[in-house]
Amino acid sequence: MALTPAAGGGESSTSPGPIPASGLANAEIRWDGFDPQAYVRHNYADLRADDREILCRTRDFFAGAKLSDARCVDVGSGANLYPALSLLPFAHTVDLCEWSTSNVRWLRQQVDGYDPMWDPYWQVCAEHPRYAALTDPRQRLAQVGRVSRTSVFDLPRHAWDAGTMFFVACSISADRAEAEHAIVRFLRALRPGSPFAVAVMLGSAGYHVGRHSFPAVALGRAEVVAGIAAGAYDVDVHEERPRPPLRDGYVSMLLTTGRTRG
Ligand SMILES: C[S@@+](CC[C@H](N)C(=O)[O-])C[C@H]1O[C@@H](n2cnc3c(N)ncnc32)[C@H](O)[C@@H]1O
């Protein structure tokens, strides 16, 4: 994904989270104004090389993680199904936790029967035999997917066996402490030893979705890796730099995989 950069923005208050020292807090942003159609059109309508690479690495990681019949979670799913698809062959359930009511509505429709534009993403998954063995991913997602309006800051502890959180920690406020807190809450929501994949934009300056703009934190690689390593082991990091740059407003995408500590 490549978020359209913005100077920041946000309006009213709904979601929980710690009070930031400066900048826009998650609770100060009008997430219900998030336009999932515009977001999908801009970010995912065509499968780009950077998303393909991130999906391939996530796929191979989960395929090698000895998971089966797992309780899985994708946090801050927004209008992106590919993290959930990467969990599908191993899932007893996939909980898609999202705060924006417009995205929750979109997710419920997509879980019931996802749009053909996600087929190329599944085809990438199905290049791996563990995924190819699942012949009807659309029907499986409808069976195991459960969408809920849940904040990353309210996730229960040790509730899931595997999880993904893509482009959320960097993109839910302008406050660095909230980004760090989101990573902590995500990792804690998984049982000890659970495999996970976290993707963030590095150096993000905020982004537009349709008519609305949303703030971001310009995270650096070292702080993201340190935050994840504090709650994880077997951590692997891949940085995907746009070649050539697709736009101004971010530096790169960082995919981190690992297993949660106890
Ligand atoms: C940049 S989007 C990322 C969406 C998607 N995961 C992706 O990979 O494209 C950030 C998402 O975080 C959601 N979000 C904002 N605050 C949240 C919160 N407190 N808890 C969970 N999700 C939140 C937004 O509604 C939005 O869907």
mmCIF file of all heavy atoms in Angstrom, residues 1 3 15-17 26-27 29 31-32 34 39 43-44 74-83 97-103 150-154 165-173 199 201 207 209 214, ligand 1:
data_model
loop_
_atom_site.group_PDB
_atom_site.id
_atom_site.type_symbol
_atom_site.label_atom_id
_atom_site.label_comp_id
_atom_site.label_asym_id
_atom_site.label_seq_id
_atom_site.Cartn_x
_atom_site.Cartn_y
_atom_site.Cartn_z
ATOM 1 N N MET A 1 0.824 -1.185 0.000
ATOM 2 C CA MET A 1 0.000 0.000 0.000
ATOM 3 C C MET A 1 0.865 1.244 0.000
ATOM 4 O O MET A 1 1.987 1.220 0.429
ATOM 5 C CB MET A 1 -0.946 -0.022 1.202
ATOM 6 C CG MET A 1 -0.259 0.036 2.544
ATOM 7 S SD MET A 1 -0.113 1.676 3.183
ATOM 8 C CE MET A 1 -1.778 1.961 3.685
ATOM 9 N N LEU A 3 0.076 5.152 1.000
ATOM 10 C CA LEU A 3 -0.899 6.152 1.394
ATOM 11 C C LEU A 3 -0.571 7.493 0.755
ATOM 12 O O LEU A 3 0.584 7.888 0.681
ATOM 13 C CB LEU A 3 -0.888 6.286 2.906
ATOM 14 C CG LEU A 3 -1.169 4.984 3.637
ATOM 15 C CD1 LEU A 3 -0.850 5.121 5.111
ATOM 16 C CD2 LEU A 3 -2.600 4.565 3.447
ATOM 17 N N SER A 15 -12.710 7.301 19.628
ATOM 18 C CA SER A 15 -12.068 6.067 20.071
ATOM 19 C C SER A 15 -11.199 6.272 21.307
ATOM 20 O O SER A 15 -10.754 7.366 21.598
ATOM 21 C CB SER A 15 -11.215 5.506 18.933
ATOM 22 O OG SER A 15 -10.001 6.178 18.860
ATOM 23 N N PRO A 16 -10.977 5.169 22.062
ATOM 24 C CA PRO A 16 -10.172 5.274 23.269
ATOM 25 C C PRO A 16 -8.676 5.304 22.968
ATOM 26 O O PRO A 16 -8.261 5.110 21.850
ATOM 27 C CB PRO A 16 -10.535 4.002 24.029
ATOM 28 C CG PRO A 16 -10.907 3.031 22.963
ATOM 29 C CD PRO A 16 -11.499 3.836 21.851
ATOM 30 N N GLY A 17 -7.857 5.499 23.999
ATOM 31 C CA GLY A 17 -6.412 5.486 23.824
ATOM 32 C C GLY A 17 -5.786 6.482 24.761
ATOM 33 O O GLY A 17 -6.470 7.354 25.303
ATOM 34 N N ASN A 26 -5.377 9.595 18.751
ATOM 35 C CA ASN A 26 -6.300 8.683 18.072
ATOM 36 C C ASN A 26 -7.754 9.042 18.378
ATOM 37 O O ASN A 26 -8.605 9.017 17.494
ATOM 38 C CB ASN A 26 -5.984 7.249 18.516
ATOM 39 C CG ASN A 26 -6.827 6.211 17.810
ATOM 40 O OD1 ASN A 26 -7.736 5.626 18.385
ATOM 41 N ND2 ASN A 26 -6.550 5.989 16.538
ATOM 42 N N ALA A 27 -8.014 9.401 19.614
ATOM 43 C CA ALA A 27 -9.385 9.706 20.031
ATOM 44 C C ALA A 27 -9.896 11.031 19.473
ATOM 45 O O ALA A 27 -11.082 11.328 19.591
ATOM 46 C CB ALA A 27 -9.466 9.724 21.561
ATOM 47 N N ILE A 29 -9.630 11.917 16.264
ATOM 48 C CA ILE A 29 -9.743 11.796 14.812
ATOM 49 C C ILE A 29 -11.087 11.183 14.458
ATOM 50 O O ILE A 29 -11.533 10.232 15.110
ATOM 51 C CB ILE A 29 -8.571 10.930 14.284
ATOM 52 C CG1 ILE A 29 -7.254 11.651 14.571
ATOM 53 C CG2 ILE A 29 -8.730 10.646 12.798
ATOM 54 C CD1 ILE A 29 -6.054 10.767 14.569
ATOM 55 N N TRP A 31 -12.684 8.866 12.676
ATOM 56 C CA TRP A 31 -12.406 7.664 11.885
ATOM 57 C C TRP A 31 -13.616 7.236 11.063
ATOM 58 O O TRP A 31 -13.465 6.550 10.047
ATOM 59 C CB TRP A 31 -11.950 6.524 12.803
ATOM 60 C CG TRP A 31 -10.591 6.827 13.350
ATOM 61 C CD1 TRP A 31 -10.279 7.208 14.618
ATOM 62 C CD2 TRP A 31 -9.368 6.848 12.606
ATOM 63 N NE1 TRP A 31 -8.923 7.456 14.715
ATOM 64 C CE2 TRP A 31 -8.349 7.243 13.498
ATOM 65 C CE3 TRP A 31 -9.024 6.581 11.281
ATOM 66 C CZ2 TRP A 31 -7.018 7.361 13.105
ATOM 67 C CZ3 TRP A 31 -7.698 6.704 10.888
ATOM 68 C CH2 TRP A 31 -6.719 7.092 11.795
ATOM 69 N N ASP A 32 -14.815 7.634 11.502
ATOM 70 C CA ASP A 32 -16.005 7.229 10.751
ATOM 71 C C ASP A 32 -16.088 7.937 9.397
ATOM 72 O O ASP A 32 -16.877 7.552 8.539
ATOM 73 C CB ASP A 32 -17.273 7.487 11.580
ATOM 74 C CG ASP A 32 -17.284 6.626 12.834
ATOM 75 O OD1 ASP A 32 -16.459 5.690 12.910
ATOM 76 O OD2 ASP A 32 -18.087 6.892 13.735
ATOM 77 N N PHE A 34 -13.629 7.832 7.349
ATOM 78 C CA PHE A 34 -12.713 7.052 6.497
ATOM 79 C C PHE A 34 -13.538 6.420 5.372
ATOM 80 O O PHE A 34 -14.529 5.738 5.618
ATOM 81 C CB PHE A 34 -12.060 5.959 7.348
ATOM 82 C CG PHE A 34 -10.801 5.380 6.795
ATOM 83 C CD1 PHE A 34 -9.566 5.705 7.352
ATOM 84 C CD2 PHE A 34 -10.830 4.467 5.752
ATOM 85 C CE1 PHE A 34 -8.390 5.146 6.861
ATOM 86 C CE2 PHE A 34 -9.661 3.913 5.255
ATOM 87 C CZ PHE A 34 -8.433 4.248 5.817
ATOM 88 N N TYR A 39 -10.094 4.397 -0.330
ATOM 89 C CA TYR A 39 -8.847 3.808 0.174
ATOM 90 C C TYR A 39 -8.434 2.597 -0.672
ATOM 91 O O TYR A 39 -7.280 2.473 -1.084
ATOM 92 C CB TYR A 39 -9.053 3.412 1.632
ATOM 93 C CG TYR A 39 -7.813 2.900 2.322
ATOM 94 C CD1 TYR A 39 -6.837 3.769 2.775
ATOM 95 C CD2 TYR A 39 -7.640 1.541 2.528
ATOM 96 C CE1 TYR A 39 -5.707 3.304 3.417
ATOM 97 C CE2 TYR A 39 -6.512 1.057 3.169
ATOM 98 C CZ TYR A 39 -5.545 1.947 3.617
ATOM 99 O OH TYR A 39 -4.425 1.469 4.253
ATOM 100 N N ASN A 43 -5.140 2.349 -2.990
ATOM 101 C CA ASN A 43 -4.041 1.526 -2.477
ATOM 102 C C ASN A 43 -3.977 0.107 -3.017
ATOM 103 O O ASN A 43 -2.895 -0.456 -3.118
ATOM 104 C CB ASN A 43 -4.124 1.454 -0.953
ATOM 105 C CG ASN A 43 -3.822 2.799 -0.317
ATOM 106 O OD1 ASN A 43 -2.709 3.299 -0.419
ATOM 107 N ND2 ASN A 43 -4.825 3.397 0.305
ATOM 108 N N TYR A 44 -5.147 -0.483 -3.314
ATOM 109 C CA TYR A 44 -5.131 -1.920 -3.559
ATOM 110 C C TYR A 44 -5.791 -2.368 -4.850
ATOM 111 O O TYR A 44 -5.779 -3.561 -5.157
ATOM 112 C CB TYR A 44 -5.784 -2.651 -2.373
ATOM 113 C CG TYR A 44 -5.031 -2.420 -1.085
ATOM 114 C CD1 TYR A 44 -5.645 -1.817 0.012
ATOM 115 C CD2 TYR A 44 -3.697 -2.791 -0.963
ATOM 116 C CE1 TYR A 44 -4.946 -1.594 1.192
ATOM 117 C CE2 TYR A 44 -2.991 -2.567 0.205
ATOM 118 C CZ TYR A 44 -3.627 -1.969 1.271
ATOM 119 O OH TYR A 44 -2.925 -1.743 2.427
ATOM 120 N N ASP A 74 -6.636 -9.980 12.842
ATOM 121 C CA ASP A 74 -6.038 -8.876 12.080
ATOM 122 C C ASP A 74 -6.537 -7.589 12.723
ATOM 123 O O ASP A 74 -7.748 -7.392 12.862
ATOM 124 C CB ASP A 74 -6.424 -8.930 10.602
ATOM 125 C CG ASP A 74 -5.828 -7.755 9.846
ATOM 126 O OD1 ASP A 74 -4.615 -7.504 9.990
ATOM 127 O OD2 ASP A 74 -6.577 -7.065 9.112
ATOM 128 N N VAL A 75 -5.616 -6.741 13.117
ATOM 129 C CA VAL A 75 -5.971 -5.535 13.881
ATOM 130 C C VAL A 75 -5.883 -4.302 12.976
ATOM 131 O O VAL A 75 -4.908 -4.134 12.240
ATOM 132 C CB VAL A 75 -5.048 -5.384 15.108
ATOM 133 C CG1 VAL A 75 -5.338 -4.084 15.852
ATOM 134 C CG2 VAL A 75 -5.225 -6.575 16.042
ATOM 135 N N GLY A 76 -6.909 -3.454 13.051
ATOM 136 C CA GLY A 76 -6.944 -2.256 12.209
ATOM 137 C C GLY A 76 -7.067 -2.629 10.740
ATOM 138 O O GLY A 76 -6.418 -2.037 9.881
ATOM 139 N N SER A 77 -7.943 -3.593 10.461
ATOM 140 C CA SER A 77 -8.042 -4.174 9.101
ATOM 141 C C SER A 77 -8.350 -3.125 8.054
ATOM 142 O O SER A 77 -7.927 -3.258 6.895
ATOM 143 C CB SER A 77 -9.142 -5.237 9.062
ATOM 144 O OG SER A 77 -8.969 -6.163 10.102
ATOM 145 N N GLY A 78 -9.105 -2.109 8.443
ATOM 146 C CA GLY A 78 -9.425 -1.040 7.496
ATOM 147 C C GLY A 78 -10.089 -1.610 6.265
ATOM 148 O O GLY A 78 -11.004 -2.423 6.350
ATOM 149 N N ALA A 79 -9.596 -1.209 5.099
ATOM 150 C CA ALA A 79 -10.122 -1.741 3.851
ATOM 151 C C ALA A 79 -9.014 -2.504 3.136
ATOM 152 O O ALA A 79 -8.651 -2.198 2.005
ATOM 153 C CB ALA A 79 -10.688 -0.611 2.998
ATOM 154 N N ASN A 80 -8.477 -3.480 3.845
ATOM 155 C CA ASN A 80 -7.438 -4.342 3.264
ATOM 156 C C ASN A 80 -7.685 -5.769 3.723
ATOM 157 O O ASN A 80 -7.663 -6.049 4.924
ATOM 158 C CB ASN A 80 -6.040 -3.893 3.711
ATOM 159 C CG ASN A 80 -4.942 -4.757 3.107
ATOM 160 O OD1 ASN A 80 -5.194 -5.569 2.214
ATOM 161 N ND2 ASN A 80 -3.714 -4.579 3.591
ATOM 162 N N LEU A 81 -7.873 -6.665 2.741
ATOM 163 C CA LEU A 81 -8.121 -8.071 3.097
ATOM 164 C C LEU A 81 -6.872 -8.931 3.063
ATOM 165 O O LEU A 81 -6.900 -10.062 3.515
ATOM 166 C CB LEU A 81 -9.140 -8.686 2.124
ATOM 167 C CG LEU A 81 -10.597 -8.292 2.267
ATOM 168 C CD1 LEU A 81 -11.450 -9.242 1.428
ATOM 169 C CD2 LEU A 81 -11.080 -8.312 3.710
ATOM 170 N N TYR A 82 -5.757 -8.433 2.516
ATOM 171 C CA TYR A 82 -4.668 -9.384 2.314
ATOM 172 C C TYR A 82 -4.007 -9.885 3.599
ATOM 173 O O TYR A 82 -3.583 -11.052 3.629
ATOM 174 C CB TYR A 82 -3.718 -8.955 1.193
ATOM 175 C CG TYR A 82 -2.568 -8.020 1.454
ATOM 176 C CD1 TYR A 82 -1.474 -8.392 2.237
ATOM 177 C CD2 TYR A 82 -2.510 -6.791 0.808
ATOM 178 C CE1 TYR A 82 -0.385 -7.544 2.410
ATOM 179 C CE2 TYR A 82 -1.433 -5.936 0.973
ATOM 180 C CZ TYR A 82 -0.373 -6.324 1.778
ATOM 181 O OH TYR A 82 0.707 -5.492 1.943
ATOM 182 N N PRO A 83 -3.970 -9.107 4.686
ATOM 183 C CA PRO A 83 -3.455 -9.727 5.919
ATOM 184 C C PRO A 83 -4.341 -10.896 6.375
ATOM 185 O O PRO A 83 -3.832 -11.946 6.783
ATOM 186 C CB PRO A 83 -3.474 -8.567 6.922
ATOM 187 C CG PRO A 83 -3.393 -7.332 6.074
ATOM 188 C CD PRO A 83 -4.183 -7.664 4.839
ATOM 189 N N CYS A 97 -10.484 -6.796 13.570
ATOM 190 C CA CYS A 97 -10.797 -5.766 14.568
ATOM 191 C C CYS A 97 -10.507 -4.398 13.979
ATOM 192 O O CYS A 97 -9.379 -4.130 13.547
ATOM 193 C CB CYS A 97 -9.944 -5.959 15.823
ATOM 194 S SG CYS A 97 -10.229 -7.532 16.635
ATOM 195 N N GLU A 98 -11.506 -3.565 13.947
ATOM 196 C CA GLU A 98 -11.373 -2.270 13.280
ATOM 197 C C GLU A 98 -12.209 -1.249 14.052
ATOM 198 O O GLU A 98 -13.258 -1.591 14.603
ATOM 199 C CB GLU A 98 -11.842 -2.432 11.821
ATOM 200 C CG GLU A 98 -12.135 -1.169 11.070
ATOM 201 C CD GLU A 98 -10.946 -0.233 10.922
ATOM 202 O OE1 GLU A 98 -9.818 -0.666 10.654
ATOM 203 O OE2 GLU A 98 -11.167 0.986 11.108
ATOM 204 N N TRP A 99 -11.745 0.002 14.082
ATOM 205 C CA TRP A 99 -12.435 1.009 14.879
ATOM 206 C C TRP A 99 -13.422 1.852 14.076
ATOM 207 O O TRP A 99 -14.474 2.257 14.579
ATOM 208 C CB TRP A 99 -11.426 1.905 15.589
ATOM 209 C CG TRP A 99 -12.099 2.835 16.531
ATOM 210 C CD1 TRP A 99 -12.212 4.179 16.423
ATOM 211 C CD2 TRP A 99 -12.813 2.465 17.724
ATOM 212 N NE1 TRP A 99 -12.941 4.681 17.468
ATOM 213 C CE2 TRP A 99 -13.324 3.649 18.291
ATOM 214 C CE3 TRP A 99 -13.066 1.262 18.356
ATOM 215 C CZ2 TRP A 99 -14.083 3.670 19.452
ATOM 216 C CZ3 TRP A 99 -13.812 1.260 19.513
ATOM 217 C CH2 TRP A 99 -14.305 2.455 20.058
ATOM 218 N N SER A 100 -13.111 2.141 12.828
ATOM 219 C CA SER A 100 -13.977 3.009 12.016
ATOM 220 C C SER A 100 -15.260 2.264 11.616
ATOM 221 O O SER A 100 -15.197 1.162 11.055
ATOM 222 C CB SER A 100 -13.195 3.430 10.762
ATOM 223 O OG SER A 100 -14.060 3.676 9.692
ATOM 224 N N THR A 101 -16.416 2.892 11.864
ATOM 225 C CA THR A 101 -17.672 2.198 11.538
ATOM 226 C C THR A 101 -17.842 2.025 10.023
ATOM 227 O O THR A 101 -18.413 1.031 9.578
ATOM 228 C CB THR A 101 -18.891 2.946 12.103
ATOM 229 O OG1 THR A 101 -18.864 4.295 11.644
ATOM 230 C CG2 THR A 101 -18.902 2.915 13.618
ATOM 231 N N SER A 102 -17.324 2.966 9.228
ATOM 232 C CA SER A 102 -17.437 2.805 7.768
ATOM 233 C C SER A 102 -16.592 1.619 7.301
ATOM 234 O O SER A 102 -17.010 0.838 6.439
ATOM 235 C CB SER A 102 -17.032 4.094 7.040
ATOM 236 O OG SER A 102 -15.799 4.587 7.540
ATOM 237 N N ASN A 103 -15.434 1.451 7.893
ATOM 238 C CA ASN A 103 -14.604 0.298 7.535
ATOM 239 C C ASN A 103 -15.202 -1.005 8.054
ATOM 240 O O ASN A 103 -15.094 -2.040 7.391
ATOM 241 C CB ASN A 103 -13.182 0.472 8.081
ATOM 242 C CG ASN A 103 -12.394 1.501 7.288
ATOM 243 O OD1 ASN A 103 -12.753 1.831 6.170
ATOM 244 N ND2 ASN A 103 -11.331 2.021 7.886
ATOM 245 N N THR A 150 -13.547 -2.927 17.330
ATOM 246 C CA THR A 150 -12.690 -3.050 18.506
ATOM 247 C C THR A 150 -11.468 -2.174 18.299
ATOM 248 O O THR A 150 -10.852 -2.208 17.238
ATOM 249 C CB THR A 150 -12.224 -4.517 18.685
ATOM 250 O OG1 THR A 150 -13.372 -5.357 18.741
ATOM 251 C CG2 THR A 150 -11.403 -4.691 19.944
ATOM 252 N N SER A 151 -11.107 -1.439 19.333
ATOM 253 C CA SER A 151 -9.913 -0.605 19.257
ATOM 254 C C SER A 151 -8.677 -1.420 19.610
ATOM 255 O O SER A 151 -8.714 -2.267 20.501
ATOM 256 C CB SER A 151 -10.030 0.564 20.234
ATOM 257 O OG SER A 151 -8.788 1.235 20.333
ATOM 258 N N VAL A 152 -7.598 -1.110 18.945
ATOM 259 C CA VAL A 152 -6.315 -1.738 19.285
ATOM 260 C C VAL A 152 -5.978 -1.517 20.762
ATOM 261 O O VAL A 152 -5.344 -2.356 21.393
ATOM 262 C CB VAL A 152 -5.189 -1.211 18.358
ATOM 263 C CG1 VAL A 152 -4.955 0.280 18.538
ATOM 264 C CG2 VAL A 152 -3.885 -1.960 18.570
ATOM 265 N N PHE A 153 -6.456 -0.399 21.318
ATOM 266 C CA PHE A 153 -6.125 -0.094 22.713
ATOM 267 C C PHE A 153 -6.981 -0.885 23.707
ATOM 268 O O PHE A 153 -6.735 -0.821 24.909
ATOM 269 C CB PHE A 153 -6.268 1.418 22.963
ATOM 270 C CG PHE A 153 -5.347 2.229 22.089
ATOM 271 C CD1 PHE A 153 -5.866 3.161 21.193
ATOM 272 C CD2 PHE A 153 -3.966 2.064 22.152
ATOM 273 C CE1 PHE A 153 -5.017 3.903 20.371
ATOM 274 C CE2 PHE A 153 -3.112 2.796 21.332
ATOM 275 C CZ PHE A 153 -3.645 3.719 20.441
ATOM 276 N N ASP A 154 -7.975 -1.601 23.187
ATOM 277 C CA ASP A 154 -8.872 -2.385 24.062
ATOM 278 C C ASP A 154 -8.770 -3.883 23.815
ATOM 279 O O ASP A 154 -9.641 -4.639 24.248
ATOM 280 C CB ASP A 154 -10.337 -1.980 23.804
ATOM 281 C CG ASP A 154 -10.634 -0.604 24.363
ATOM 282 O OD1 ASP A 154 -9.918 -0.167 25.272
ATOM 283 O OD2 ASP A 154 -11.588 0.031 23.862
ATOM 284 N N MET A 165 -0.981 -7.016 11.887
ATOM 285 C CA MET A 165 -1.388 -5.610 12.068
ATOM 286 C C MET A 165 -0.611 -4.799 11.033
ATOM 287 O O MET A 165 0.592 -4.574 11.165
ATOM 288 C CB MET A 165 -1.096 -5.128 13.492
ATOM 289 C CG MET A 165 -1.657 -3.724 13.735
ATOM 290 S SD MET A 165 -1.649 -3.210 15.471
ATOM 291 C CE MET A 165 0.072 -2.795 15.711
ATOM 292 N N PHE A 166 -1.313 -4.389 9.972
ATOM 293 C CA PHE A 166 -0.650 -3.776 8.819
ATOM 294 C C PHE A 166 -0.992 -2.289 8.717
ATOM 295 O O PHE A 166 -2.175 -1.915 8.614
ATOM 296 C CB PHE A 166 -1.070 -4.490 7.530
ATOM 297 C CG PHE A 166 -0.266 -5.745 7.241
ATOM 298 C CD1 PHE A 166 0.320 -6.470 8.263
ATOM 299 C CD2 PHE A 166 -0.076 -6.189 5.947
ATOM 300 C CE1 PHE A 166 1.075 -7.613 8.015
ATOM 301 C CE2 PHE A 166 0.677 -7.323 5.670
ATOM 302 C CZ PHE A 166 1.249 -8.038 6.701
ATOM 303 N N PHE A 167 0.051 -1.467 8.711
ATOM 304 C CA PHE A 167 -0.061 -0.030 8.458
ATOM 305 C C PHE A 167 -1.020 0.640 9.439
ATOM 306 O O PHE A 167 -1.801 1.521 9.066
ATOM 307 C CB PHE A 167 -0.470 0.223 6.999
ATOM 308 C CG PHE A 167 0.386 -0.542 6.024
ATOM 309 C CD1 PHE A 167 -0.141 -1.542 5.222
ATOM 310 C CD2 PHE A 167 1.751 -0.290 5.954
ATOM 311 C CE1 PHE A 167 0.667 -2.263 4.351
ATOM 312 C CE2 PHE A 167 2.566 -1.008 5.084
ATOM 313 C CZ PHE A 167 2.022 -1.990 4.279
ATOM 314 N N VAL A 168 -0.935 0.218 10.695
ATOM 315 C CA VAL A 168 -1.813 0.741 11.733
ATOM 316 C C VAL A 168 -1.014 1.577 12.736
ATOM 317 O O VAL A 168 -1.328 2.757 12.957
ATOM 318 C CB VAL A 168 -2.574 -0.418 12.434
ATOM 319 C CG1 VAL A 168 -3.365 0.084 13.638
ATOM 320 C CG2 VAL A 168 -3.496 -1.108 11.430
ATOM 321 N N ALA A 169 0.023 1.006 13.335
ATOM 322 C CA ALA A 169 0.745 1.723 14.401
ATOM 323 C C ALA A 169 1.204 3.104 13.925
ATOM 324 O O ALA A 169 1.112 4.090 14.665
ATOM 325 C CB ALA A 169 1.933 0.893 14.872
ATOM 326 N N CYS A 170 1.641 3.189 12.684
ATOM 327 C CA CYS A 170 2.159 4.442 12.121
ATOM 328 C C CYS A 170 1.043 5.409 11.742
ATOM 329 O O CYS A 170 1.301 6.595 11.546
ATOM 330 C CB CYS A 170 2.963 4.128 10.856
ATOM 331 S SG CYS A 170 2.079 3.016 9.717
ATOM 332 N N SER A 171 -0.181 4.912 11.607
ATOM 333 C CA SER A 171 -1.223 5.645 10.873
ATOM 334 C C SER A 171 -2.496 5.874 11.662
ATOM 335 O O SER A 171 -3.558 6.094 11.075
ATOM 336 C CB SER A 171 -1.581 4.875 9.589
ATOM 337 O OG SER A 171 -0.432 4.569 8.844
ATOM 338 N N ILE A 172 -2.445 5.790 12.994
ATOM 339 C CA ILE A 172 -3.669 5.985 13.779
ATOM 340 C C ILE A 172 -3.641 7.278 14.585
ATOM 341 O O ILE A 172 -4.615 7.602 15.253
ATOM 342 C CB ILE A 172 -3.978 4.786 14.698
ATOM 343 C CG1 ILE A 172 -2.805 4.475 15.625
ATOM 344 C CG2 ILE A 172 -4.394 3.573 13.875
ATOM 345 C CD1 ILE A 172 -3.142 3.463 16.710
ATOM 346 N N SER A 173 -2.545 8.016 14.537
ATOM 347 C CA SER A 173 -2.498 9.342 15.162
ATOM 348 C C SER A 173 -1.157 9.978 14.820
ATOM 349 O O SER A 173 -0.321 9.368 14.155
ATOM 350 C CB SER A 173 -2.659 9.260 16.686
ATOM 351 O OG SER A 173 -1.446 8.871 17.305
ATOM 352 N N ALA A 199 3.280 -4.690 9.750
ATOM 353 C CA ALA A 199 3.832 -3.822 8.703
ATOM 354 C C ALA A 199 3.592 -2.371 9.096
ATOM 355 O O ALA A 199 2.525 -2.041 9.638
ATOM 356 C CB ALA A 199 3.183 -4.118 7.356
ATOM 357 N N MET A 201 4.538 1.912 7.762
ATOM 358 C CA MET A 201 5.205 2.854 6.879
ATOM 359 C C MET A 201 6.260 3.569 7.726
ATOM 360 O O MET A 201 5.957 3.996 8.840
ATOM 361 C CB MET A 201 4.241 3.927 6.364
ATOM 362 C CG MET A 201 2.921 3.457 5.815
ATOM 363 S SD MET A 201 3.071 2.608 4.267
ATOM 364 C CE MET A 201 3.423 3.966 3.166
ATOM 365 N N TYR A 207 -1.742 11.039 5.581
ATOM 366 C CA TYR A 207 -2.296 10.547 4.327
ATOM 367 C C TYR A 207 -3.720 11.032 4.106
ATOM 368 O O TYR A 207 -4.427 11.363 5.041
ATOM 369 C CB TYR A 207 -2.236 9.010 4.286
ATOM 370 C CG TYR A 207 -2.913 8.305 5.447
ATOM 371 C CD1 TYR A 207 -4.145 7.680 5.280
ATOM 372 C CD2 TYR A 207 -2.322 8.251 6.704
ATOM 373 C CE1 TYR A 207 -4.772 7.018 6.331
ATOM 374 C CE2 TYR A 207 -2.938 7.599 7.769
ATOM 375 C CZ TYR A 207 -4.162 6.988 7.573
ATOM 376 O OH TYR A 207 -4.769 6.342 8.622
ATOM 377 N N VAL A 209 -7.489 10.101 2.489
ATOM 378 C CA VAL A 209 -8.397 9.056 2.002
ATOM 379 C C VAL A 209 -9.631 9.785 1.509
ATOM 380 O O VAL A 209 -10.398 10.337 2.307
ATOM 381 C CB VAL A 209 -8.772 8.055 3.112
ATOM 382 C CG1 VAL A 209 -9.686 6.967 2.544
ATOM 383 C CG2 VAL A 209 -7.538 7.429 3.743
ATOM 384 N N PHE A 214 -5.655 12.177 7.249
ATOM 385 C CA PHE A 214 -5.400 11.503 8.520
ATOM 386 C C PHE A 214 -3.928 11.675 8.877
ATOM 387 O O PHE A 214 -3.061 11.635 7.993
ATOM 388 C CB PHE A 214 -5.760 10.015 8.407
ATOM 389 C CG PHE A 214 -7.229 9.785 8.186
ATOM 390 C CD1 PHE A 214 -7.748 9.688 6.902
ATOM 391 C CD2 PHE A 214 -8.104 9.723 9.258
ATOM 392 C CE1 PHE A 214 -9.108 9.510 6.688
ATOM 393 C CE2 PHE A 214 -9.470 9.545 9.060
ATOM 394 C CZ PHE A 214 -9.973 9.435 7.772
HETATM 395 C C1 LIG B 1 -3.769 3.297 7.296
HETATM 396 S S1 LIG B 1 -5.170 2.354 7.719
HETATM 397 C C2 LIG B 1 -4.554 0.667 7.536
HETATM 398 C C3 LIG B 1 -5.636 -0.263 7.074
HETATM 399 C C4 LIG B 1 -5.196 -1.666 6.666
HETATM 400 N N1 LIG B 1 -4.734 -2.440 7.802
HETATM 401 C C5 LIG B 1 -4.164 -1.694 5.576
HETATM 402 O O1 LIG B 1 -3.267 -2.539 5.649
HETATM 403 O O2 LIG B 1 -4.263 -0.965 4.597
HETATM 404 C C6 LIG B 1 -5.273 2.515 9.500
HETATM 405 C C7 LIG B 1 -6.503 1.802 10.030
HETATM 406 O O3 LIG B 1 -6.507 1.843 11.462
HETATM 407 C C8 LIG B 1 -7.861 2.024 11.872
HETATM 408 N N2 LIG B 1 -7.868 2.530 13.257
HETATM 409 C C9 LIG B 1 -7.770 3.801 13.689
HETATM 410 N N3 LIG B 1 -7.793 3.847 15.032
HETATM 411 C C10 LIG B 1 -7.914 2.561 15.448
HETATM 412 C C11 LIG B 1 -7.997 1.973 16.729
HETATM 413 N N4 LIG B 1 -7.948 2.701 17.854
HETATM 414 N N5 LIG B 1 -8.113 0.638 16.794
HETATM 415 C C12 LIG B 1 -8.165 -0.121 15.665
HETATM 416 N N6 LIG B 1 -8.085 0.394 14.424
HETATM 417 C C13 LIG B 1 -7.956 1.729 14.328
HETATM 418 C C14 LIG B 1 -8.401 2.999 10.841
HETATM 419 O O4 LIG B 1 -9.787 3.071 10.844
HETATM 420 C C15 LIG B 1 -7.812 2.410 9.569
HETATM 421 O O5 LIG B 1 -8.637 1.404 9.071
#
